[in-house]
Amino acid sequence: RKEVEQDPGPFNVPEGATVAFNCTYSNSASQSFFWYRQDCRKEPKLLMSVYSSGNEDGRFTAQLNRASQYISLLIRDSKLSDSATYLCVVNGGAGNTPLVFGKGTRLSVIA
Amino acid sequence: NAGVTQTPKFRVLKTGQSMTLLCAQDMNHEYMYWYRQDPGMGLRLIHYSVGEGTTAKGEVPDGYNVSRLKKQNFLLGLESAAPSQTSVYFCASRDSPYNEQFFGPGTRLTVL
């Protein structure tokens, strides 16, 4: 089983739609969780951290289910500018292990 | 704060040439990382460092060497470039193993 798995997409949605991405991780010792956004040919940038109780930042909501080891990202009222690849990221567990990045889910928001 | 910077932004090499990519961060971060990303693919970790003077191998270390002589700099060396090393190279840093990483803008390397 891969450490972090995501549906690669692409998800093609109209403007204004709500879209959800899920991600599963294999290391039950992981303690930090993030969603990053990567635009074409650019560096990944932090979209939001994911907390156990769930958290929201404007149109974006992240949820964590530790028992099932999955993380979700919900985008409401999609904008054209939301078109990007969304990376699910999990810390590698105890110690200095590097973050583990999923391969990403590609989103295209269409006018 | 400039954050994480990478030098150069673009480079074209011939097979067998060597070069060094420089990553610099001004956030006093302990942890630094080098990744490569091929077209349409995910990030792959090459080498990383958990503090000044330390380095460790990542997922794809072969053909690369690194050094962290100063806390703010992390150098990635290609000893004898091969066409398979054509890629975009990203550097990243963070202050703790539990916090997010900050990425540099990338170096686009082509090996002919």
Side-chain angles (χ1 to χ4, degrees), chain B:
Chain B
N1 280 355
V4 181
T5 57
Q6 293 183 232
T7 309
K9 288 184 170 48
F10 303 92
R11 185 74 186 267
V12 179
L13 289 179
K14 294 182 179 177
T15 297
Q17 288 184 317
S18 63
M19 78 163 294
T20 300
L21 283 68
L22 170 63
C23 176
Q25 51 92 7
D26 61 3
M27 297 174 281
N28 202 35
H29 286 172
E30 288 291 339
Y31 302 82
M32 296 188 75
Y33 307 87
W34 275 108
Y35 297 87
R36 62 176 287 175
Q37 187 173 37
D38 299 322
M41 304 288 285
L43 294 166
R44 290 189 290 172
L45 182 65
I46 305 171
H47 285 281
Y48 64 102
S49 169
V50 300
E52 182 178 324
T54 75
T55 62
K57 292 181 180 180
E59 180 188 354
V60 289
D62 294 342
Y64 304 96
N65 57 73
V66 286
S67 64
R68 183 102 182 266
L69 298 179
K70 292 183 179 181
K71 187 177 183 179
Q72 63 268 32
N73 295 338
F74 194 28
L75 278 64
L76 178 72
L78 282 72
E79 296 159 346
S80 178
S84 60
Q85 293 178 305
T86 293
S87 192
V88 180
Y89 291 84
F90 290 108
C91 176
S93 73
R94 60 179 176 166
D95 61 353
S96 140
Y98 304 105
N99 289 348
E100 71 272 21
Q101 285 178 188
F102 298 86
F103 283 84
T107 294
R108 281 155 183 76
L109 175 66
T110 301
V111 183
L112 302 175

Side-chain angles (χ1 to χ4, degrees), chain A residues 80-107:
Chain A
L80 294 175
S81 57
D82 294 334
S83 296
T85 296
Y86 291 84
L87 308 177
C88 177
V89 185
V90 174
N91 97 312
N96 293 322
T97 50
L99 291 176
V100 181
F101 285 76
K103 292 190 181 342
T105 297
R106 193 151 59 92
L107 172 66

